[in-house]
Amino acid sequence: MTALPEVERFARLRLARTEKIGPVTFSQLLQRFGSAITAIDALPDLVRRSGRATYNLPDARTIEAELEAGHTYGATLLVCGDADYPIRLSHIDPPPPVLWVKGRKDLLHGETIAIVGARIASAGGLRIARDLARELGQAGHVVVSGLARGIDTAAHAGALETGTVAVLGGGINDIYPPENAELHAKISETGCLVSESPMGMRAQARDFPRRNRILSGLTRGVIVVEAELKSGSLITARIAAEQNRDVFAVPGSPLDPRTRGTNDLLRQGAILCEGADDVQRAFTTLRTLFEPQVIADFEPVIVKPAPDVIEQIARLLSPVPTATDELSRHLNVPAATIAAALLELSLAERATLLPGGLVSSA
């Protein structure tokens, strides 16, 4: 993997911070133009073709201010394509374009396992999470969690001595919840803090699903200790399964609503977890995580779809997800043309791109 020039790293951060350009569109732009520098130069024409009135590309001074804030805080910027970018995370579709990290970056490349669960956890659940994290850490695993109240906090506390990774919803310097300020500080010294959000950004509800995909994407598997039937922890488990990660669940009493979610995961085929031995056994005897080849250096595919092709594709989209290769076959149009048209539709806010290359109308 060749090192990215600093000017390209700067451009990738700038593109990632552009309003309405999320990880999917970011990845499409790099695939189409080969670099963020070229993509930024092409944005005005793309936006004009898409029919949008304008777009909000941050100026260079805004990006410089973010970089300076990160440097002052002691954090490091990792851009997708950097040699230090976590290899497992680079395989999810799509990977986060940029990450701020503080602490031991080497932990991101270790034998990582996530522990998540209820914010309002039982005393027994907290003990299980803490003991399980300590056992896994002593066995050579790096415990990853989200620094939330309850199970997350217990998991980080149990793995502090061996090294733990906290994935944050807000900026890397946003301490939430406030009572975890001391834990946040300890992890920044002996573990690693991770966030894709800009420096200083306060966490909001919409940021946690994005956080969860990173949390699971960094790991080989996710352990759910306690979770109700409708909870963020079950969303994390679902995302983990979609990312081809192992999903573990700690069984619990059917009388406790906080364990109904974990028991339901077991019904659906999750791996039963009563201790670190169950994780070790799963990683050595079950399927091996399949990781496709990483494409770090993008080759540009310059295609300008005709307006009538874009309109045909737009008419075919619906709330029901449609595979991109199905669109290609139906219209007898090359896949590269379909991808280019979907990029323009996404910029025009006329389509929603879903995981796995699926598309639907907005």
Side-chain angles (χ1 to χ4, degrees):
M1 181 185 296
T2 58
L4 288 173
E6 282 302 315
V7 65
E8 173 63 14
R9 297 181 77 252
F10 187 93
R12 291 193 183 194
L13 176 59
R14 191 180 180 199
L15 189 63
R17 297 297 186 236
T18 301
E19 187 179 355
K20 302 299 182 183
I21 294 183
V24 171
T25 305
F26 180 94
S27 180
Q28 288 181 320
L29 286 167
L30 287 192
Q31 290 283 2
R32 180 167 175 180
F33 296 104
S35 75
I37 296 172
T38 307
I40 288 173
D41 290 339
L43 265 180
D45 182 58
L46 274 176
V47 171
R48 179 186 58 78
R49 285 169 56 89
S50 71
R52 286 186 62 186
T54 186
Y55 63 100
N56 295 317
L57 178 73
D59 59 34
R61 287 176 297 180
T62 301
I63 301 304
E64 289 167 357
E66 180 177 349
L67 290 170
E68 179 60 28
H71 176 75
T72 301
Y73 188 66
T76 300
L77 179 71
L78 297 182
V79 177
C80 190
D82 282 340
D84 288 341
Y85 191 91
I87 187 69
R88 287 195 180 95
L89 197 58
S90 67
H91 292 137
I92 70 173
D93 184 24
V98 297
L99 294 172
W100 280 107
V101 301
K102 184 179 182 184
R104 294 178 52 193
K105 293 185 293 183
D106 62 293
L107 295 176
L108 303 177
H109 305 277
E111 192 75 357
T112 45
I113 179 81
I115 298 178
V116 299
R119 285 175 168 79
I120 304 176
S122 68
L126 295 173
R127 186 183 70 251
I128 290 171
R130 185 170 52 251
D131 293 347
L132 185 57
R134 183 174 59 252
E135 292 173 12
L136 287 168
Q138 292 171 348
H141 297 274
V142 177
V143 173
V144 181
S145 199
L147 202 65
R149 295 182 178 95
I151 297 299
D152 288 20
T153 296
H156 287 305
L160 265 180
E161 291 186 4
T162 54
T164 182
V165 174
V167 185
L168 310 180
I172 201 170
N173 54 346
D174 175 44
I175 300 174
Y176 183 83
E179 61 265 29
N180 274 352
E182 183 178 353
L183 182 59
H184 183 280
K186 288 180 178 178
I187 294 174
S188 73
E189 295 172 0
T190 63
C192 187
L193 301 171
V194 178
S195 174
E196 70 172 329
S197 298
M199 296 293 301
M201 178 177 158
R202 299 300 301 272
Q204 300 182 45
R206 66 173 182 269
D207 298 316
F208 292 105
R210 296 190 303 115
R211 184 275 307 269
N212 292 345
R213 92 184 194 289
I214 296 175
L215 192 155
S216 58
L218 281 169
T219 68
R220 286 192 62 183
V222 172
I223 304 171
V224 184
V225 177
E226 286 186 342
E228 296 193 14
L229 285 173
K230 293 183 178 180
S231 68
S233 298
L234 294 191
I235 294 174
T236 304
R238 175 181 57 78
I239 294 172
E242 291 171 353
Q243 293 172 341
N244 206 30
R245 272 55 175 164
D246 288 317
V247 176
F248 300 82
V250 175
S253 168
L255 300 178
D256 189 341
R258 287 170 293 199
T259 61
R260 288 178 183 169
T262 51
N263 290 345
D264 191 56
L265 285 175
L266 291 169
R267 290 190 196 95
Q268 296 178 49
I271 305 165
L272 185 143
C273 181
E274 294 180 315
D277 289 345
D278 292 315
V279 177
Q280 297 279 70
R281 189 179 306 111
F283 284 169
T284 55
T285 62
L286 296 182
R287 61 170 175 78
T288 301
L289 177 66
F290 172 73
E291 296 180 336
Q293 183 179 1
V294 179
I295 302 175
D297 300 316
F298 292 91
E299 292 293 332
V301 181
I302 307 299
V303 177
K304 287 190 176 182
D308 64 315
V309 173
I310 296 176
E311 288 301 323
Q312 289 180 59
I313 293 173
R315 286 196 295 270
L316 288 172
L317 301 181
S318 74
V320 179
T322 306
T324 52
D325 58 351
E326 183 177 336
L327 292 173
S328 178
R329 288 193 301 270
H330 182 80
L331 295 174
N332 194 26
V333 171
T337 302
I338 298 291
L342 291 175
L343 172 59
E344 297 196 15
L345 285 169
S346 66
L347 288 172
E349 298 179 298
R350 295 164 65 189
T352 299
L353 300 174
L354 303 174
L358 302 180
V359 297
S360 69
S361 62

